[in-house]
Amino acid sequence: QVQLVESGGGSVQPGGPLRLSCAASGSIFSIDAMGWYRQAPGKQSEWVATITSGGVTNYADSVKDRFTIFRDNAKNTAYLQMNSLKPEDTAVYYCNLRIKLPFGKSYDYWGQGTQVTVSS
């Protein structure tokens, strides 16, 4: 019964910034990691960034040094700060939440997706 609500998408010119938000709500759970994926039209889903429960971050090479993933635990919200945006960043961005389950299992929840369009 966990829900992820995304916001912050929109249209921006190349080189501009944009910040995406992902607010989690629902039952209590143990977080393994949160992350962001994106999917451009006609392409496969692409992993963008991850932050573990311990705060360790990882980025795809295509966004490293331009994007930053972080979270506000008090607000149960994760963010993706995107700077120096390029047209190839245009995609639907999805927030991912992985929770820990008993017996070494895990489960993934997904946000509804938010459109990011980078163009002149």
Side-chain angles (χ1 to χ4, degrees), residues 39-44:
Q39 187 168 28
K43 296 185 178 180
Q44 295 184 13

Side-chain angles (χ1 to χ4, degrees), residues 4 6 20 22 35-40 45-46 48-49 80 91-97 109-114:
L4 303 177
E6 300 180 33
L20 305 182
C22 177
W36 292 89
Y37 290 72
R38 67 186 182 186
Q39 187 168 28
S45 179
E46 176 189 23
V48 175
L80 184 68
V92 178
Y93 284 70
Y94 296 92
C95 177
N96 166 257
L97 169 65
Y109 292 91
W110 295 91
Q112 81 280 7
T114 185

Side-chain angles (χ1 to χ4, degrees), residues 17 20 43 50 53 59 67 70 75 79 81 110 114 116:
L20 305 182
K43 296 185 178 180
T50 300
S53 60
Y59 300 91
F67 291 11
F70 62 101
K75 297 181 179 180
Y79 303 89
Q81 178 66 48
W110 295 91
T114 185
V116 173

